[in-house]
Amino acid sequence: MRVGVLTGGGDCPGLNAVIRGIVRKGVPVYGYSFLGFRDGWRGPLEALTKPLDIPAVRGLLPRGGTILGSSRTNPFKEPDGVAKIKSNLQQLGVDALIAIGGEDTLGVATKLHEMGVNVIGVPKTIDNDLNGTDYTFGFDTAVNIATEAIDRLHTTAESHHRALIVEVMGRHAGWIALHAGMAGGANAILIPEVRFDIEQVCRWVESRFRLDYAPIIVVSEGAMPKEGDEVLVSDEKDAFGHVRLGGIGDWLAREIEKRTGKEARTTVLGHVQRGGTPTARDRWLATRFGLHAVDAVHAGQWGMMTALRGTDIEMVPLSEATKELKVVDPSLYAEAEVFFG
Amino acid sequence: MRVGVLTGGGDCPGLNAVIRGIVRKGVPVYGYSFLGFRDGWRGPLEALTKPLDIPAVRGLLPRGGTILGSSRTNPFKEPDGVAKIKSNLQQLGVDALIAIGGEDTLGVATKLHEMGVNVIGVPKTIDNDLNGTDYTFGFDTAVNIATEAIDRLHTTAESHHRALIVEVMGRHAGWIALHAGMAGGANAILIPEVRFDIEQVCRWVESRFRLDYAPIIVVSEGAMPKEGDEVLVSDEKDAFGHVRLGGIGDWLAREIEKRTGKEARTTVLGHVQRGGTPTARDRWLATRFGLHAVDAVHAGQWGMMTALRGTDIEMVPLSEATKELKVVDPSLYAEAEVFFG
Amino acid sequence: MRVGVLTGGGDCPGLNAVIRGIVRKGVPVYGYSFLGFRDGWRGPLEALTKPLDIPAVRGLLPRGGTILGSSRTNPFKEPDGVAKIKSNLQQLGVDALIAIGGEDTLGVATKLHEMGVNVIGVPKTIDNDLNGTDYTFGFDTAVNIATEAIDRLHTTAESHHRALIVEVMGRHAGWIALHAGMAGGANAILIPEVRFDIEQVCRWVESRFRLDYAPIIVVSEGAMPKEGDEVLVSDEKDAFGHVRLGGIGDWLAREIEKRTGKEARTTVLGHVQRGGTPTARDRWLATRFGLHAVDAVHAGQWGMMTALRGTDIEMVPLSEATKELKVVDPSLYAEAEVFFG
Amino acid sequence: MRVGVLTGGGDCPGLNAVIRGIVRKGVPVYGYSFLGFRDGWRGPLEALTKPLDIPAVRGLLPRGGTILGSSRTNPFKEPDGVAKIKSNLQQLGVDALIAIGGEDTLGVATKLHEMGVNVIGVPKTIDNDLNGTDYTFGFDTAVNIATEAIDRLHTTAESHHRALIVEVMGRHAGWIALHAGMAGGANAILIPEVRFDIEQVCRWVESRFRLDYAPIIVVSEGAMPKEGDEVLVSDEKDAFGHVRLGGIGDWLAREIEKRTGKEARTTVLGHVQRGGTPTARDRWLATRFGLHAVDAVHAGQWGMMTALRGTDIEMVPLSEATKELKVVDPSLYAEAEVFFG
């Protein structure tokens, strides 16, 4: 059997570890050969391939990124996209596909499966907002990077009696903010799931200063004040003439300065959260996802994806992962609120 | 209500985070006061206390070790131990105890509970071998430290064409070896649960060298060869006249050199695995254990302990944690074997 | 003798290590007592003090920030500033001052020395742009943090075929950019000392993409294109109605996208560069600066500051450090250019 | 011109960065071609080569170890060694050699230069004990790794009221112990240059415990007690029947336990100190050594080696590096003694 492998969407520490796990088990145990597809769904769409054998995966375990490249190409938005993929798979002699990706990539995988392509999915997002699995790989690495940054900011905040805001990834779900904020000892954590009250945030800032400590606020990029989106909109325009919304972190710093009279500074962690070597836990999870994905190929469990449940890897329907986002539960957020202010 | 807190057994990254979680919630939410007991069960036995209020737990989240100190004192081995503890608790006005510890500490807690002391447990072991919980805090930190060491050893092994053996903690269970070995890309992982065949290990070493790579072997301190303990026994004596058994790591290096003719070196990671700042995940788990332990005090769930199940913290009977060790399942070990050799 | 200690200007990893070095030597060896002044020159100006004895400096070595706090207060800009300082020192019985700070703090120290105050200086800047010393502490930490970020960004850049720009600290001197860019394998390093040609930068970007690698550009916050400041100016206004210049990193991303048609993203490292635990080297340098500063008090070397020369700590006149900035030498920058493109 | 490159002796973080620096400058700037020799002097002796061009050095900057391999082969101890080398260089068309190594490797280089081979040296040792240069690359990495380990051990020592001994590399010079001990806040640092008094060490241990802190002792592997070697000798024999001397760290733990009655534990850091990714500073130094080494080839400065002097790279005679070890100066050691006890 010949198995194609592709990685789609934003990159994520652990992608290479999944690829390695697939190949290191599939070749000797099942006698499979593998073909890498480049740049997500663009690979099978345009027959862009890369050899994928055991020598090709040597040394991959600790490496961030993906040797297969990635893209956000969606074959359902390309003319004859699905037909081209089917034809390319046939011509290349590829019997099954392992698609490693997030909501979009697995959404395509789900539809292709329904159209008769043999697909196994591996869920991937540093945001941890995919359903059906306790955690996704890459998330633990992102949380550790953000936590280390918060650790560093504590001392600088206190030396200068400043509020420091840390903007982390998370457009629709606050998992990174919640975990890193809890682990870093933040004095407020603002997430997309719960609209925040800027007046309340300022009270937390002030109560913290009264204790002679400097507040750290961790905010998801997708968090929003109660007042709504409009407060963020200004008539600023960027170099291309587009209206600049400005990041929520910058908005918070300006509001806190204006309302409390204290200095505030923002750090936007950005892409460092998604690059580089994975943590031990992410390597472990990604490797196991790879091993179980190739087992699923062997078992012909098409349309299923790997999932972590407790300490076990299980196979769940791809549709489960993509039906709705996994957001932070209010009771979990309430646990963290003890530490606010 | 006045609540005593103690930490027993070997130290573990995250102990301070548990203590902080307990106090940060217990004081403002439940109106409790807290009393720290020093050095494990020695504290209540000898009435050794330490103030424990909100200022006392500031800055504790990232700090390794335990501000309360630890010991292996067992009150059931002391004359009138239990009576002294009961009397001290009464005189100090302590209504309930939160005991944070491993098998021994929680074993004492179980018995005290049966004798009428109000006890809540928090499981702790870097070895991850306590039952009833998916993971214990400290384990993730230990695995990351061991994985970083393995990462570093890969390059030195290859530059010198040497086999490198890494001895990690784990007397009765191979969790650290298994996770760090998988995450570090080890070519063999030897754990206490499975007696290993030194001839097989040497074949893995040789096959790795044939590929022009240098082998890394991760071994739990409690792993044993098939031939049995006797091979490790020699007539060597240490400075005190005791027969030296020698660590398994050293034994492996000598055997590999003797049998394969290749150079081999051993690194014993030792106490660095259990010290220092916890990973983000361990801080998260430890903090949540602390929060839920104090909730359990409020709910009067005496004789129960906090446990991680999937992504939830649940309360389980203390007896569940201490009835038998949680060892590595053969099927999990079999997953790793794909990478051996 | 009673010696006052203060820290001024932006915080910097190693400040606490200097303070610890001063006290740990000054108390037992010279029999001095110490008094901490809070928040830079505001401390002696307003008689804001903090006890400073051996227990107060326990555990300080690995801690970022400064336990004394900092500010940018300049007593020469306050009415009767110098007179107040002199009077406060006399009333508090302080015979000498150790001032730890950068250009501004040491500039004040220089003038106070000329007006008869017994001052010893310790140079501090993460930017490494103070004259008279080979390096300042904090710089090595900042460079390591920036290098780790660049390491992480390499994999994400290549997975997405994007140019990634890393904006690091350095308004007037490119030391952090040069060192981190060299250590991180940047494909272009842009520093304030050399106006860059955006067309040349785009050619480097394109040549890198042609090799199927993704370019990383490290830029000092103070770097400027040849075309001059005006290109950065837009009619954008921020929330306070001020014209936004925009960071050079954002400007570069927009220009590269516009001119090459490739995606580009910017990461602004910001305050994480100056917070948190110092590297071993910075702890070593800061500790030695502290030890030698208190030796200089004993020797009465008023108006002098500690300086690193090769592997030695020497005393040089305060005026030497503040007369002009230490900028990157063209020959050193030329060394790095081999790696551009 | 065709230039051979080899790396000899123990591996060291930064070796690959030197190789990369040589090739990245030598090819485009001077038009040289390069040939890698494998496994130190064994390479030219047995004509074991490895291609070395720009693609071969991609991605090398952050990688520990050496892609050329290493060995301790000494051509002067092989029959006709020098003649074979000369003949192989001629047959392979190699006009000059860059030898990267420590005392032994550079000693061979010195003699070959005197016998007419065109050699440039690059000094390498993690021990920092080579003369002629302020620092060698790899040393900063080793010191940081040891310092991180000490940071971790502090908390475990205090939680258990134990003395912890950290044995670091350094057979003949105490540089790693001195720097890591200072940076890690050790309570005693024992180095080969100064025979220590075990009674004094025990007094430091006891005074530290009296302050309710736990002592950390950093010891070079080559440190010796005043009583002399004999105290370390016992009649213990290892598995091969050889008398075991035992490491100095283990000896210290036993003596401290015996003499003070306190628990003591030893951690031997071993090979993790020399493996893995170099610090930013070591990458900077190694890269510059590579650039200047190839400049020296161009300038025909045979018999010279690169050296760090302050912030400059200079060329010094190879003989200067190898004439005697650079040991720790007593005045530098005296600086550290302030922190003992």
Side-chain angles (χ1 to χ4, degrees):
Chain A
M1 172 128 53
R2 194 171 207 203
V3 183
V5 181
L6 65 84
T7 54
D11 73 319
C12 188
L15 285 169
N16 281 326
V18 178
I19 298 168
R20 171 182 174 268
I22 290 168
V23 175
R24 287 292 297 271
K25 180 156 198 182
V27 171
V29 175
Y30 298 122
Y32 295 164
S33 69
F34 291 92
L35 188 67
F37 285 107
R38 298 176 64 123
D39 298 346
W41 289 110
R42 244 185 91 211
L45 194 70
E46 304 179 16
L48 301 172
T49 64
K50 186 167 183 162
L52 196 57
D53 53 12
I54 284 185
V57 301
R58 288 265 181 235
L60 280 198
L61 187 54
R63 273 180 52 191
T66 161
I67 55 162
L68 297 178
S70 188
S71 76
R72 299 198 183 275
T73 300
N74 183 337
F76 289 95
K77 293 183 177 163
E78 305 289 327
D80 298 320
V82 175
K84 281 181 192 161
I85 285 182
K86 285 190 170 185
S87 154
N88 283 333
L89 293 181
Q90 195 172 26
Q91 282 185 29
L92 292 162
V94 170
D95 308 293
L97 262 184
I98 299 177
I100 313 165
E103 213 190 349
D104 296 339
T105 305
L106 297 186
V108 170
T110 307
K111 286 197 231 164
L112 286 177
H113 163 65
E114 288 161 1
M115 297 167 83
V117 180
N118 294 336
V119 186
I120 298 292
V122 175
K124 171 237 63 151
T125 161
I126 64 160
D127 292 334
N128 198 39
D129 58 3
L130 277 175
N131 252 303
T133 183
D134 283 0
Y135 292 101
T136 45
F137 61 86
F139 172 66
D140 188 59
T141 305
V143 170
N144 271 287
I145 292 170
T147 302
E148 277 177 43
I150 299 169
D151 282 356
R152 291 201 170 273
L153 293 173
H154 271 292
T155 53
T156 194
E158 293 188 3
S159 302
H160 289 285
H161 317 295
R162 275 176 188 158
L164 280 178
I165 294 120
V166 189
E167 187 183 308
V168 299
M169 285 187 168
R171 289 200 190 170
H172 308 294
W175 293 109
I176 293 177
L178 181 66
H179 278 245
M182 285 274 277
N187 309 107
I189 301 171
L190 310 177
I191 62 175
E193 291 86 341
V194 183
R195 293 223 161 197
F196 64 84
D197 175 357
I198 182 70
E199 283 301 323
Q200 175 62 66
V201 172
C202 290
R203 281 194 296 274
W204 286 328
V205 164
E206 284 169 333
S207 75
R208 184 79 180 165
F209 276 123
R210 272 196 300 275
L211 290 168
D212 203 19
Y213 286 91
I216 302 277
I217 298 164
V218 178
V219 58
S220 306
E221 56 186 328
M224 274 289 164
K226 275 196 173 141
E227 296 77 0
D229 307 15
E230 67 279 6
V231 304
L232 302 180
V233 180
S234 74
D235 54 359
E236 294 178 71
K237 290 186 183 169
D238 70 13
F240 305 109
H242 303 302
V243 171
R244 282 178 54 95
L245 295 176
I248 184 67
D250 290 330
W251 184 83
L252 270 167
R254 277 180 256 149
E255 290 298 315
I256 290 170
E257 292 203 337
K258 210 160 57 181
R259 290 163 190 252
T260 69
K262 296 282 185 181
E263 267 192 293
R265 294 283 185 279
T266 298
T267 295
V268 181
L269 287 184
H271 287 79
V272 287
Q273 289 165 90
R274 67 183 329 130
T277 195
T279 58
R281 183 173 165 79
D282 277 338
R283 296 187 200 177
W284 162 260
L285 181 57
T287 297
R288 294 189 73 201
F289 272 3
L291 298 175
H292 283 258
V294 80
D295 288 346
V297 169
H298 184 70
Q301 296 176 290
W302 315 122
M304 305 290 274
M305 71 166 202
T306 57
L308 178 70
R309 298 279 173 93
T311 61
D312 296 326
I313 310 294
E314 301 182 357
M315 299 306 295
V316 302
L318 267 171
S319 53
E320 197 171 316
T322 54
K323 65 184 173 191
E324 58 172 347
L325 278 184
K326 182 178 69 181
V327 294
V328 173
D329 190 80
S331 70
L332 205 54
Y333 187 64
E335 282 188 9
E337 287 180 300
V338 165
F339 300 102
F340 293 179
Chain B
M1 170 126 56
R2 192 169 209 204
V3 183
V5 182
L6 66 84
T7 55
D11 73 320
C12 188
L15 285 169
N16 281 325
V18 178
I19 298 168
R20 171 182 174 268
I22 290 168
V23 175
R24 287 292 297 271
K25 179 156 198 181
V27 172
V29 175
Y30 299 122
Y32 295 164
S33 68
F34 291 92
L35 188 66
F37 284 106
R38 297 177 65 124
D39 299 346
W41 290 111
R42 244 185 91 211
L45 195 69
E46 304 180 17
L48 301 172
T49 64
K50 187 167 181 161
L52 196 56
D53 52 13
I54 284 186
V57 301
R58 289 266 180 233
L60 279 198
L61 187 54
R63 275 180 52 192
T66 161
I67 56 162
L68 297 178
S70 189
S71 76
R72 299 198 183 275
T73 300
N74 184 337
F76 289 95
K77 293 182 178 163
E78 305 290 327
D80 299 320
V82 175
K84 281 180 191 163
I85 285 183
K86 286 190 169 182
S87 154
N88 283 332
L89 292 181
Q90 196 172 25
Q91 282 186 30
L92 292 162
V94 171
D95 309 292
L97 262 184
I98 299 177
I100 312 165
E103 213 190 351
D104 295 340
T105 306
L106 297 185
V108 170
T110 308
K111 285 197 232 164
L112 286 177
H113 163 65
E114 288 160 1
M115 298 167 83
V117 180
N118 294 336
V119 185
I120 298 291
V122 175
K124 171 238 61 152
T125 162
I126 64 159
D127 293 333
N128 197 39
D129 58 3
L130 276 175
N131 251 303
T133 183
D134 284 0
Y135 292 101
T136 44
F137 62 86
F139 171 66
D140 188 58
T141 304
V143 170
N144 271 287
I145 292 170
T147 302
E148 278 176 43
I150 299 169
D151 281 357
R152 291 202 170 273
L153 293 173
H154 271 291
T155 53
T156 195
E158 293 188 3
S159 302
H160 289 285
H161 318 294
R162 275 177 189 157
L164 281 178
I165 294 120
V166 189
E167 186 182 308
V168 298
M169 285 187 167
R171 289 199 191 171
H172 308 293
W175 293 109
I176 293 177
L178 181 66
H179 277 245
M182 285 274 277
N187 308 106
I189 301 170
L190 311 177
I191 62 176
E193 290 88 340
V194 183
R195 293 225 161 196
F196 64 84
D197 175 357
I198 182 70
E199 283 301 322
Q200 175 62 66
V201 172
C202 289
R203 282 194 296 274
W204 287 328
V205 164
E206 284 168 332
S207 75
R208 183 80 182 166
F209 276 123
R210 273 196 300 276
L211 290 169
D212 202 20
Y213 287 90
I216 302 276
I217 298 164
V218 178
V219 58
S220 305
E221 57 185 328
M224 274 288 165
K226 274 195 174 145
E227 295 77 0
D229 307 15
E230 67 279 7
V231 305
L232 302 180
V233 181
S234 76
D235 55 358
E236 293 178 71
K237 291 186 183 171
D238 70 12
F240 304 109
H242 302 303
V243 171
R244 282 177 54 93
L245 295 177
I248 184 67
D250 290 330
W251 184 83
L252 269 166
R254 276 180 256 149
E255 289 299 315
I256 289 170
E257 292 203 336
K258 209 161 57 180
R259 290 163 191 251
T260 70
K262 297 283 184 181
E263 267 191 292
R265 293 284 184 280
T266 298
T267 295
V268 181
L269 287 184
H271 288 79
V272 286
Q273 290 166 89
R274 66 182 331 129
T277 194
T279 58
R281 183 174 166 78
D282 277 338
R283 296 187 199 177
W284 162 260
L285 182 56
T287 298
R288 293 189 74 200
F289 272 4
L291 298 175
H292 284 257
V294 80
D295 288 346
V297 168
H298 183 69
Q301 295 177 288
W302 315 122
M304 306 289 275
M305 72 166 200
T306 58
L308 178 70
R309 298 278 172 93
T311 61
D312 296 325
I313 309 296
E314 301 182 357
M315 299 306 296
V316 301
L318 268 170
S319 53
E320 197 169 317
T322 53
K323 66 184 171 191
E324 58 173 346
L325 277 184
K326 182 177 68 181
V327 294
V328 173
D329 190 81
S331 70
L332 206 53
Y333 187 65
E335 282 187 9
E337 288 180 300
V338 166
F339 300 102
F340 292 0
Chain C
M1 170 126 57
R2 193 169 208 204
V3 181
V5 181
L6 65 86
T7 54
D11 73 319
C12 188
L15 285 169
N16 281 325
V18 178
I19 298 167
R20 171 181 174 268
I22 291 168
V23 175
R24 287 292 296 273
K25 180 156 197 181
V27 171
V29 175
Y30 298 122
Y32 294 163
S33 69
F34 291 93
L35 188 66
F37 283 107
R38 297 177 65 123
D39 298 347
W41 290 111
R42 244 185 92 210
L45 194 70
E46 304 179 17
L48 301 172
T49 64
K50 187 167 182 160
L52 196 56
D53 52 13
I54 284 186
V57 301
R58 288 265 180 233
L60 278 198
L61 186 54
R63 274 179 55 190
T66 161
I67 55 162
L68 296 178
S70 188
S71 75
R72 299 199 183 275
T73 300
N74 183 337
F76 288 96
K77 294 182 178 165
E78 306 288 327
D80 298 321
V82 175
K84 282 180 192 164
I85 285 182
K86 286 191 168 182
S87 153
N88 283 332
L89 293 182
Q90 194 170 27
Q91 282 186 29
L92 292 162
V94 171
D95 309 292
L97 262 184
I98 300 178
I100 313 165
E103 212 190 351
D104 296 339
T105 306
L106 299 185
V108 170
T110 308
K111 285 197 232 165
L112 286 178
H113 163 63
E114 287 160 2
M115 297 166 84
V117 181
N118 294 338
V119 186
I120 298 292
V122 175
K124 173 238 60 151
T125 161
I126 64 160
D127 293 333
N128 198 38
D129 58 2
L130 277 175
N131 251 303
T133 182
D134 284 0
Y135 292 102
T136 45
F137 61 87
F139 172 66
D140 188 59
T141 304
V143 170
N144 270 287
I145 292 170
T147 301
E148 277 176 44
I150 299 170
D151 281 357
R152 291 202 169 271
L153 293 172
H154 272 290
T155 54
T156 195
E158 293 188 2
S159 301
H160 289 285
H161 317 295
R162 276 177 188 155
L164 281 178
I165 295 120
V166 189
E167 186 183 309
V168 298
M169 285 187 167
R171 289 200 189 168
H172 308 295
W175 292 109
I176 293 177
L178 181 67
H179 277 245
M182 285 275 276
N187 308 107
I189 300 170
L190 310 177
I191 62 175
E193 291 87 342
V194 183
R195 293 225 160 195
F196 64 84
D197 175 356
I198 182 70
E199 283 300 323
Q200 175 61 66
V201 172
C202 290
R203 281 194 296 274
W204 287 327
V205 164
E206 285 169 332
S207 75
R208 184 78 180 167
F209 276 124
R210 272 196 300 276
L211 290 168
D212 203 19
Y213 286 91
I216 302 275
I217 298 164
V218 178
V219 58
S220 305
E221 57 186 327
M224 274 289 166
K226 275 195 173 143
E227 296 76 0
D229 307 15
E230 67 280 5
V231 304
L232 301 179
V233 180
S234 75
D235 54 1
E236 292 179 72
K237 290 185 184 171
D238 70 12
F240 304 110
H242 302 303
V243 171
R244 281 178 55 93
L245 295 178
I248 184 67
D250 289 330
W251 184 83
L252 270 167
R254 275 181 257 149
E255 291 297 315
I256 289 170
E257 292 203 337
K258 211 161 56 182
R259 291 163 189 252
T260 69
K262 297 282 185 183
E263 268 191 291
R265 293 283 183 280
T266 298
T267 295
V268 182
L269 287 183
H271 288 79
V272 287
Q273 290 165 89
R274 68 182 329 132
T277 195
T279 58
R281 184 174 165 78
D282 277 338
R283 297 186 199 177
W284 162 260
L285 181 56
T287 298
R288 294 189 73 200
F289 272 4
L291 298 175
H292 284 257
V294 80
D295 288 346
V297 169
H298 183 69
Q301 295 176 290
W302 315 121
M304 305 290 273
M305 71 166 200
T306 57
L308 179 71
R309 299 278 173 94
T311 60
D312 295 327
I313 309 296
E314 301 181 358
M315 299 306 296
V316 302
L318 267 170
S319 53
E320 197 170 317
T322 54
K323 66 184 172 190
E324 59 173 346
L325 277 184
K326 182 177 69 180
V327 294
V328 173
D329 189 82
S331 70
L332 205 54
Y333 187 65
E335 282 187 10
E337 287 180 300
V338 165
F339 300 102
F340 293 179
Chain D
M1 170 124 57
R2 193 167 207 205
V3 182
V5 181
L6 65 84
T7 54
D11 74 319
C12 188
L15 285 168
N16 281 325
V18 178
I19 298 168
R20 171 182 174 268
I22 290 168
V23 174
R24 286 292 297 273
K25 180 156 197 181
V27 171
V29 175
Y30 298 122
Y32 294 163
S33 69
F34 291 93
L35 188 66
F37 283 107
R38 297 177 65 121
D39 298 346
W41 290 110
R42 244 185 93 211
L45 194 69
E46 303 179 18
L48 301 172
T49 65
K50 187 167 183 162
L52 196 56
D53 52 13
I54 285 186
V57 301
R58 288 266 181 233
L60 279 199
L61 186 53
R63 274 179 55 191
T66 161
I67 56 162
L68 297 178
S70 188
S71 75
R72 300 199 182 274
T73 300
N74 184 337
F76 288 95
K77 293 181 178 165
E78 306 289 327
D80 298 321
V82 176
K84 282 180 191 163
I85 285 182
K86 285 190 168 182
S87 153
N88 283 333
L89 293 182
Q90 194 170 28
Q91 282 186 30
L92 292 162
V94 171
D95 309 292
L97 262 185
I98 301 178
I100 313 164
E103 213 190 350
D104 295 338
T105 306
L106 298 184
V108 170
T110 308
K111 285 198 232 164
L112 286 177
H113 162 64
E114 288 160 0
M115 298 167 82
V117 180
N118 294 337
V119 186
I120 298 292
V122 175
K124 172 238 59 151
T125 160
I126 64 160
D127 292 334
N128 197 39
D129 58 3
L130 277 175
N131 251 304
T133 182
D134 283 359
Y135 292 102
T136 45
F137 60 87
F139 171 66
D140 188 59
T141 305
V143 170
N144 271 287
I145 292 170
T147 302
E148 278 176 44
I150 299 169
D151 281 357
R152 290 201 171 272
L153 294 172
H154 271 291
T155 53
T156 196
E158 293 188 3
S159 301
H160 289 285
H161 318 294
R162 276 177 188 154
L164 281 178
I165 295 120
V166 189
E167 186 182 309
V168 299
M169 285 187 166
R171 289 199 190 170
H172 308 294
W175 293 108
I176 293 177
L178 181 66
H179 277 245
M182 284 275 276
N187 309 105
I189 301 170
L190 311 177
I191 62 175
E193 291 87 341
V194 183
R195 294 226 160 194
F196 64 84
D197 175 356
I198 182 70
E199 283 300 323
Q200 175 62 65
V201 172
C202 290
R203 280 193 296 273
W204 287 328
V205 164
E206 284 169 332
S207 75
R208 183 80 179 165
F209 276 122
R210 272 196 300 275
L211 291 169
D212 203 20
Y213 287 90
I216 302 276
I217 298 164
V218 178
V219 58
S220 305
E221 57 186 327
M224 275 288 166
K226 276 195 172 146
E227 296 78 359
D229 307 15
E230 68 279 7
V231 304
L232 302 178
V233 180
S234 75
D235 55 0
E236 293 178 72
K237 290 184 184 172
D238 70 13
F240 305 110
H242 302 304
V243 172
R244 282 178 55 92
L245 295 176
I248 184 67
D250 289 330
W251 184 84
L252 269 166
R254 275 180 259 149
E255 290 298 316
I256 289 170
E257 291 203 338
K258 213 162 53 183
R259 291 164 190 251
T260 70
K262 297 282 185 181
E263 268 192 290
R265 293 282 183 282
T266 298
T267 294
V268 182
L269 287 183
H271 288 80
V272 288
Q273 290 165 88
R274 68 184 326 133
T277 195
T279 58
R281 183 173 165 80
D282 277 338
R283 297 187 199 177
W284 162 261
L285 181 57
T287 298
R288 294 189 74 199
F289 273 3
L291 298 174
H292 284 258
V294 79
D295 288 347
V297 168
H298 183 69
Q301 295 176 290
W302 315 122
M304 304 289 274
M305 72 166 199
T306 57
L308 178 70
R309 298 278 172 94
T311 61
D312 297 326
I313 309 296
E314 301 182 357
M315 299 305 297
V316 302
L318 268 170
S319 53
E320 197 169 317
T322 54
K323 66 184 172 191
E324 59 173 346
L325 277 184
K326 182 177 69 181
V327 294
V328 173
D329 189 81
S331 70
L332 204 53
Y333 187 65
E335 282 188 9
E337 287 180 300
V338 164
F339 300 102
F340 293 179

